Amino acid sequence: MVDRRDIGSWLEGPGAVRTTAEGDYPGRDLGLPESGPGSIARTGIRALAIIVDWALCSLIAAAVLGYHLGEPGLGSFKPLLVFVVENVLLVGTLGSTLGHRIFGLRVIGVDRTPAGLVRALVRTLLLAIVLPAVIWDKDQRGFHDRIAGTMILRTR
């Protein structure tokens, strides 16, 4: 059986074992500040941003695609389709979704360049299957961000 501490330094989640050294904080190994603009966005604010994005995408799906809450079958995926399009286009071009913008967040590459359409596509497709978003590393980057080579930073 694999000891969770062996993989804890790369992936974490609720209840993960992680030893921290004095002065350690999310983003330190990436050369980011501990807090304020340019620091790693914490889980709570990212969750609020995704809730806003999902609500907006559900409203757009209702207005444009005729979606209604509780719709059976493939129709239930209409908000997800809008969410994927929104994320790829907005993160790929502007670096943030509407939810990110409201809460002062932006997505960039770990190399400090804009995310771009390819990384935004990879990130969004992984985000759409949910699981990668609830698994994160020691820098509080979701698995989808880790695989795409991106990170979410605070802008204010």
PDB file of all heavy atoms in Angstrom, residues 2 4 7 12-13 16 19 27-28 33 36 56 68 71 82-83 91 100 106 117 123 127 135 150-151 155:
ATOM      1  N   VAL A   2       0.488   2.268  -0.727  1.00  0.00           N
ATOM      2  CA  VAL A   2       1.265   3.493  -0.842  1.00  0.00           C
ATOM      3  C   VAL A   2       1.013   4.369   0.373  1.00  0.00           C
ATOM      4  O   VAL A   2      -0.126   4.584   0.771  1.00  0.00           O
ATOM      5  CB  VAL A   2       0.874   4.260  -2.128  1.00  0.00           C
ATOM      6  CG1 VAL A   2       1.583   5.589  -2.200  1.00  0.00           C
ATOM      7  CG2 VAL A   2       1.166   3.424  -3.340  1.00  0.00           C
ATOM      8  N   ARG A   4       0.472   7.716   2.049  1.00  0.00           N
ATOM      9  CA  ARG A   4      -0.028   8.999   1.541  1.00  0.00           C
ATOM     10  C   ARG A   4       1.006  10.097   1.656  1.00  0.00           C
ATOM     11  O   ARG A   4       1.002  11.043   0.884  1.00  0.00           O
ATOM     12  CB  ARG A   4      -1.293   9.410   2.285  1.00  0.00           C
ATOM     13  CG  ARG A   4      -2.478   8.632   1.860  1.00  0.00           C
ATOM     14  CD  ARG A   4      -3.727   8.974   2.592  1.00  0.00           C
ATOM     15  NE  ARG A   4      -3.740  10.289   3.181  1.00  0.00           N
ATOM     16  CZ  ARG A   4      -4.823  10.857   3.632  1.00  0.00           C
ATOM     17  NH1 ARG A   4      -5.972  10.261   3.557  1.00  0.00           N
ATOM     18  NH2 ARG A   4      -4.781  12.049   4.195  1.00  0.00           N
ATOM     19  N   ILE A   7       3.081  10.775  -1.633  1.00  0.00           N
ATOM     20  CA  ILE A   7       2.506  11.555  -2.722  1.00  0.00           C
ATOM     21  C   ILE A   7       1.973  12.901  -2.246  1.00  0.00           C
ATOM     22  O   ILE A   7       1.619  13.745  -3.042  1.00  0.00           O
ATOM     23  CB  ILE A   7       1.381  10.781  -3.445  1.00  0.00           C
ATOM     24  CG1 ILE A   7       0.255  10.432  -2.500  1.00  0.00           C
ATOM     25  CG2 ILE A   7       1.937   9.569  -4.152  1.00  0.00           C
ATOM     26  CD1 ILE A   7      -0.968   9.840  -3.161  1.00  0.00           C
ATOM     27  N   GLU A  12      -2.595  16.991  -3.036  1.00  0.00           N
ATOM     28  CA  GLU A  12      -3.239  17.029  -1.746  1.00  0.00           C
ATOM     29  C   GLU A  12      -4.728  17.155  -1.951  1.00  0.00           C
ATOM     30  O   GLU A  12      -5.201  17.425  -3.032  1.00  0.00           O
ATOM     31  CB  GLU A  12      -2.738  18.223  -0.928  1.00  0.00           C
ATOM     32  CG  GLU A  12      -1.265  18.108  -0.616  1.00  0.00           C
ATOM     33  CD  GLU A  12      -0.770  19.239   0.250  1.00  0.00           C
ATOM     34  OE1 GLU A  12      -1.542  20.156   0.564  1.00  0.00           O
ATOM     35  OE2 GLU A  12       0.397  19.209   0.621  1.00  0.00           O
ATOM     36  N   GLY A  13      -5.445  16.997  -0.918  1.00  0.00           N
ATOM     37  CA  GLY A  13      -6.884  17.160  -0.929  1.00  0.00           C
ATOM     38  C   GLY A  13      -7.348  17.206   0.502  1.00  0.00           C
ATOM     39  O   GLY A  13      -6.535  17.266   1.416  1.00  0.00           O
ATOM     40  N   ALA A  16      -5.314  15.509   3.460  1.00  0.00           N
ATOM     41  CA  ALA A  16      -4.004  15.045   3.017  1.00  0.00           C
ATOM     42  C   ALA A  16      -2.958  15.347   4.076  1.00  0.00           C
ATOM     43  O   ALA A  16      -3.043  16.322   4.799  1.00  0.00           O
ATOM     44  CB  ALA A  16      -3.617  15.726   1.707  1.00  0.00           C
ATOM     45  N   THR A  19       3.689  17.979   5.562  1.00  0.00           N
ATOM     46  CA  THR A  19       4.550  18.618   6.536  1.00  0.00           C
ATOM     47  C   THR A  19       4.995  19.947   5.946  1.00  0.00           C
ATOM     48  O   THR A  19       5.324  20.046   4.769  1.00  0.00           O
ATOM     49  CB  THR A  19       5.781  17.742   6.850  1.00  0.00           C
ATOM     50  OG1 THR A  19       6.466  17.471   5.643  1.00  0.00           O
ATOM     51  CG2 THR A  19       5.356  16.441   7.510  1.00  0.00           C
ATOM     52  N   GLY A  27       2.644  28.786  -3.050  1.00  0.00           N
ATOM     53  CA  GLY A  27       3.236  29.662  -4.052  1.00  0.00           C
ATOM     54  C   GLY A  27       4.687  30.017  -3.796  1.00  0.00           C
ATOM     55  O   GLY A  27       5.351  30.580  -4.666  1.00  0.00           O
ATOM     56  N   ARG A  28       5.208  29.700  -2.619  1.00  0.00           N
ATOM     57  CA  ARG A  28       6.603  30.043  -2.306  1.00  0.00           C
ATOM     58  C   ARG A  28       7.562  29.410  -3.305  1.00  0.00           C
ATOM     59  O   ARG A  28       8.468  30.062  -3.823  1.00  0.00           O
ATOM     60  CB  ARG A  28       6.965  29.624  -0.891  1.00  0.00           C
ATOM     61  CG  ARG A  28       8.363  30.136  -0.496  1.00  0.00           C
ATOM     62  CD  ARG A  28       8.819  29.551   0.769  1.00  0.00           C
ATOM     63  NE  ARG A  28       9.240  28.185   0.428  1.00  0.00           N
ATOM     64  CZ  ARG A  28       9.848  27.366   1.245  1.00  0.00           C
ATOM     65  NH1 ARG A  28      10.068  27.722   2.477  1.00  0.00           N
ATOM     66  NH2 ARG A  28      10.208  26.161   0.852  1.00  0.00           N
ATOM     67  N   PRO A  33       4.547  35.894  -3.995  1.00  0.00           N
ATOM     68  CA  PRO A  33       4.410  36.441  -2.644  1.00  0.00           C
ATOM     69  C   PRO A  33       3.409  35.629  -1.823  1.00  0.00           C
ATOM     70  O   PRO A  33       2.576  34.913  -2.374  1.00  0.00           O
ATOM     71  CB  PRO A  33       3.897  37.865  -2.884  1.00  0.00           C
ATOM     72  CG  PRO A  33       3.271  37.836  -4.236  1.00  0.00           C
ATOM     73  CD  PRO A  33       4.012  36.794  -5.021  1.00  0.00           C
ATOM     74  N   GLY A  36      -1.565  39.099  -1.052  1.00  0.00           N
ATOM     75  CA  GLY A  36      -1.719  40.285  -1.879  1.00  0.00           C
ATOM     76  C   GLY A  36      -1.666  39.985  -3.361  1.00  0.00           C
ATOM     77  O   GLY A  36      -1.662  38.826  -3.778  1.00  0.00           O
ATOM     78  N   LEU A  56     -23.975  32.137 -13.956  1.00  0.00           N
ATOM     79  CA  LEU A  56     -24.082  32.912 -15.199  1.00  0.00           C
ATOM     80  C   LEU A  56     -24.237  31.999 -16.413  1.00  0.00           C
ATOM     81  O   LEU A  56     -25.046  32.281 -17.310  1.00  0.00           O
ATOM     82  CB  LEU A  56     -22.868  33.821 -15.369  1.00  0.00           C
ATOM     83  CG  LEU A  56     -22.769  34.995 -14.396  1.00  0.00           C
ATOM     84  CD1 LEU A  56     -21.420  35.682 -14.526  1.00  0.00           C
ATOM     85  CD2 LEU A  56     -23.904  35.981 -14.625  1.00  0.00           C
ATOM     86  N   HIS A  68     -33.746  24.424 -18.948  1.00  0.00           N
ATOM     87  CA  HIS A  68     -34.511  24.663 -17.725  1.00  0.00           C
ATOM     88  C   HIS A  68     -34.041  23.694 -16.650  1.00  0.00           C
ATOM     89  O   HIS A  68     -33.669  22.548 -16.936  1.00  0.00           O
ATOM     90  CB  HIS A  68     -36.030  24.570 -17.952  1.00  0.00           C
ATOM     91  CG  HIS A  68     -36.495  23.292 -18.582  1.00  0.00           C
ATOM     92  ND1 HIS A  68     -36.644  22.120 -17.884  1.00  0.00           N
ATOM     93  CD2 HIS A  68     -36.823  23.008 -19.862  1.00  0.00           C
ATOM     94  CE1 HIS A  68     -37.051  21.167 -18.701  1.00  0.00           C
ATOM     95  NE2 HIS A  68     -37.158  21.676 -19.912  1.00  0.00           N
ATOM     96  N   GLU A  71     -33.816  19.628 -16.390  1.00  0.00           N
ATOM     97  CA  GLU A  71     -34.018  19.081 -17.734  1.00  0.00           C
ATOM     98  C   GLU A  71     -33.384  17.689 -17.828  1.00  0.00           C
ATOM     99  O   GLU A  71     -32.249  17.491 -17.411  1.00  0.00           O
ATOM    100  CB  GLU A  71     -33.393  20.025 -18.759  1.00  0.00           C
ATOM    101  CG  GLU A  71     -33.668  19.668 -20.185  1.00  0.00           C
ATOM    102  CD  GLU A  71     -33.195  20.745 -21.147  1.00  0.00           C
ATOM    103  OE1 GLU A  71     -33.127  21.925 -20.761  1.00  0.00           O
ATOM    104  OE2 GLU A  71     -32.903  20.389 -22.298  1.00  0.00           O
ATOM    105  N   VAL A  82     -21.915  25.727 -22.074  1.00  0.00           N
ATOM    106  CA  VAL A  82     -21.670  27.174 -22.002  1.00  0.00           C
ATOM    107  C   VAL A  82     -20.458  27.455 -21.110  1.00  0.00           C
ATOM    108  O   VAL A  82     -19.619  28.300 -21.433  1.00  0.00           O
ATOM    109  CB  VAL A  82     -22.924  27.920 -21.487  1.00  0.00           C
ATOM    110  CG1 VAL A  82     -22.636  29.400 -21.292  1.00  0.00           C
ATOM    111  CG2 VAL A  82     -24.094  27.723 -22.447  1.00  0.00           C
ATOM    112  N   PHE A  83     -20.340  26.729 -20.008  1.00  0.00           N
ATOM    113  CA  PHE A  83     -19.222  26.891 -19.083  1.00  0.00           C
ATOM    114  C   PHE A  83     -17.893  26.597 -19.780  1.00  0.00           C
ATOM    115  O   PHE A  83     -16.924  27.344 -19.628  1.00  0.00           O
ATOM    116  CB  PHE A  83     -19.418  25.953 -17.879  1.00  0.00           C
ATOM    117  CG  PHE A  83     -18.356  26.042 -16.838  1.00  0.00           C
ATOM    118  CD1 PHE A  83     -18.386  27.046 -15.884  1.00  0.00           C
ATOM    119  CD2 PHE A  83     -17.323  25.120 -16.795  1.00  0.00           C
ATOM    120  CE1 PHE A  83     -17.406  27.132 -14.907  1.00  0.00           C
ATOM    121  CE2 PHE A  83     -16.345  25.193 -15.831  1.00  0.00           C
ATOM    122  CZ  PHE A  83     -16.388  26.202 -14.877  1.00  0.00           C
ATOM    123  N   VAL A  91     -10.584  32.693 -20.556  1.00  0.00           N
ATOM    124  CA  VAL A  91      -9.264  32.433 -19.969  1.00  0.00           C
ATOM    125  C   VAL A  91      -8.203  32.437 -21.061  1.00  0.00           C
ATOM    126  O   VAL A  91      -7.109  32.977 -20.874  1.00  0.00           O
ATOM    127  CB  VAL A  91      -9.253  31.096 -19.180  1.00  0.00           C
ATOM    128  CG1 VAL A  91      -7.835  30.693 -18.789  1.00  0.00           C
ATOM    129  CG2 VAL A  91     -10.129  31.198 -17.939  1.00  0.00           C
ATOM    130  N   HIS A 100     -13.839  35.091 -12.131  1.00  0.00           N
ATOM    131  CA  HIS A 100     -12.475  35.470 -11.762  1.00  0.00           C
ATOM    132  C   HIS A 100     -12.359  36.986 -11.670  1.00  0.00           C
ATOM    133  O   HIS A 100     -11.777  37.521 -10.724  1.00  0.00           O
ATOM    134  CB  HIS A 100     -11.462  34.990 -12.805  1.00  0.00           C
ATOM    135  CG  HIS A 100     -11.270  33.520 -12.859  1.00  0.00           C
ATOM    136  ND1 HIS A 100     -10.925  32.881 -14.027  1.00  0.00           N
ATOM    137  CD2 HIS A 100     -11.350  32.544 -11.915  1.00  0.00           C
ATOM    138  CE1 HIS A 100     -10.796  31.582 -13.790  1.00  0.00           C
ATOM    139  NE2 HIS A 100     -11.062  31.358 -12.517  1.00  0.00           N
ATOM    140  N   ARG A 106      -6.845  35.945 -11.819  1.00  0.00           N
ATOM    141  CA  ARG A 106      -6.478  35.749 -13.216  1.00  0.00           C
ATOM    142  C   ARG A 106      -5.693  34.449 -13.346  1.00  0.00           C
ATOM    143  O   ARG A 106      -5.032  34.011 -12.419  1.00  0.00           O
ATOM    144  CB  ARG A 106      -5.687  36.917 -13.766  1.00  0.00           C
ATOM    145  CG  ARG A 106      -4.300  36.969 -13.226  1.00  0.00           C
ATOM    146  CD  ARG A 106      -3.448  38.019 -13.881  1.00  0.00           C
ATOM    147  NE  ARG A 106      -2.159  37.940 -13.192  1.00  0.00           N
ATOM    148  CZ  ARG A 106      -1.267  38.860 -13.175  1.00  0.00           C
ATOM    149  NH1 ARG A 106      -1.469  39.968 -13.831  1.00  0.00           N
ATOM    150  NH2 ARG A 106      -0.145  38.708 -12.533  1.00  0.00           N
ATOM    151  N   LEU A 117      -4.959  29.904 -25.556  1.00  0.00           N
ATOM    152  CA  LEU A 117      -6.079  29.018 -25.866  1.00  0.00           C
ATOM    153  C   LEU A 117      -5.794  27.540 -25.609  1.00  0.00           C
ATOM    154  O   LEU A 117      -6.668  26.813 -25.144  1.00  0.00           O
ATOM    155  CB  LEU A 117      -6.532  29.229 -27.311  1.00  0.00           C
ATOM    156  CG  LEU A 117      -7.239  30.560 -27.570  1.00  0.00           C
ATOM    157  CD1 LEU A 117      -7.471  30.751 -29.066  1.00  0.00           C
ATOM    158  CD2 LEU A 117      -8.551  30.639 -26.820  1.00  0.00           C
ATOM    159  N   ARG A 123      -7.010  22.970 -19.469  1.00  0.00           N
ATOM    160  CA  ARG A 123      -7.461  23.291 -18.116  1.00  0.00           C
ATOM    161  C   ARG A 123      -8.977  23.148 -17.992  1.00  0.00           C
ATOM    162  O   ARG A 123      -9.490  22.559 -17.042  1.00  0.00           O
ATOM    163  CB  ARG A 123      -7.020  24.726 -17.804  1.00  0.00           C
ATOM    164  CG  ARG A 123      -7.397  25.226 -16.474  1.00  0.00           C
ATOM    165  CD  ARG A 123      -6.972  26.698 -16.328  1.00  0.00           C
ATOM    166  NE  ARG A 123      -7.211  27.103 -14.974  1.00  0.00           N
ATOM    167  CZ  ARG A 123      -8.401  27.474 -14.532  1.00  0.00           C
ATOM    168  NH1 ARG A 123      -9.430  27.509 -15.343  1.00  0.00           N
ATOM    169  NH2 ARG A 123      -8.552  27.812 -13.266  1.00  0.00           N
ATOM    170  N   LEU A 127     -11.254  20.612 -15.868  1.00  0.00           N
ATOM    171  CA  LEU A 127     -12.157  21.229 -14.891  1.00  0.00           C
ATOM    172  C   LEU A 127     -13.584  20.724 -15.077  1.00  0.00           C
ATOM    173  O   LEU A 127     -14.315  20.510 -14.110  1.00  0.00           O
ATOM    174  CB  LEU A 127     -12.108  22.760 -15.039  1.00  0.00           C
ATOM    175  CG  LEU A 127     -12.954  23.591 -14.096  1.00  0.00           C
ATOM    176  CD1 LEU A 127     -12.552  23.348 -12.649  1.00  0.00           C
ATOM    177  CD2 LEU A 127     -12.810  25.067 -14.441  1.00  0.00           C
ATOM    178  N   ILE A 135      -8.628  18.114  -6.339  1.00  0.00           N
ATOM    179  CA  ILE A 135      -7.335  17.566  -5.948  1.00  0.00           C
ATOM    180  C   ILE A 135      -6.317  18.661  -6.218  1.00  0.00           C
ATOM    181  O   ILE A 135      -6.267  19.207  -7.313  1.00  0.00           O
ATOM    182  CB  ILE A 135      -6.980  16.311  -6.774  1.00  0.00           C
ATOM    183  CG1 ILE A 135      -8.034  15.240  -6.586  1.00  0.00           C
ATOM    184  CG2 ILE A 135      -5.598  15.798  -6.404  1.00  0.00           C
ATOM    185  CD1 ILE A 135      -7.869  14.059  -7.523  1.00  0.00           C
ATOM    186  N   THR A 150      -0.750  25.985 -15.502  1.00  0.00           N
ATOM    187  CA  THR A 150      -1.291  27.296 -15.172  1.00  0.00           C
ATOM    188  C   THR A 150      -1.425  27.450 -13.658  1.00  0.00           C
ATOM    189  O   THR A 150      -1.264  26.499 -12.898  1.00  0.00           O
ATOM    190  CB  THR A 150      -2.677  27.503 -15.811  1.00  0.00           C
ATOM    191  OG1 THR A 150      -3.565  26.455 -15.380  1.00  0.00           O
ATOM    192  CG2 THR A 150      -2.599  27.524 -17.326  1.00  0.00           C
ATOM    193  N   MET A 151      -1.730  28.667 -13.248  1.00  0.00           N
ATOM    194  CA  MET A 151      -1.997  28.968 -11.841  1.00  0.00           C
ATOM    195  C   MET A 151      -2.953  30.155 -11.783  1.00  0.00           C
ATOM    196  O   MET A 151      -2.994  30.967 -12.708  1.00  0.00           O
ATOM    197  CB  MET A 151      -0.711  29.237 -11.068  1.00  0.00           C
ATOM    198  CG  MET A 151       0.136  30.337 -11.617  1.00  0.00           C
ATOM    199  SD  MET A 151       1.725  30.383 -10.746  1.00  0.00           S
ATOM    200  CE  MET A 151       2.640  31.483 -11.803  1.00  0.00           C
ATOM    201  N   THR A 155      -5.314  39.423  -8.199  1.00  0.00           N
ATOM    202  CA  THR A 155      -4.934  40.672  -8.858  1.00  0.00           C
ATOM    203  C   THR A 155      -5.042  41.864  -7.922  1.00  0.00           C
ATOM    204  O   THR A 155      -4.573  42.938  -8.230  1.00  0.00           O
ATOM    205  CB  THR A 155      -5.807  40.947 -10.098  1.00  0.00           C
ATOM    206  OG1 THR A 155      -7.169  41.066  -9.690  1.00  0.00           O
ATOM    207  CG2 THR A 155      -5.640  39.848 -11.133  1.00  0.00           C
TER     208      THR A 155
END
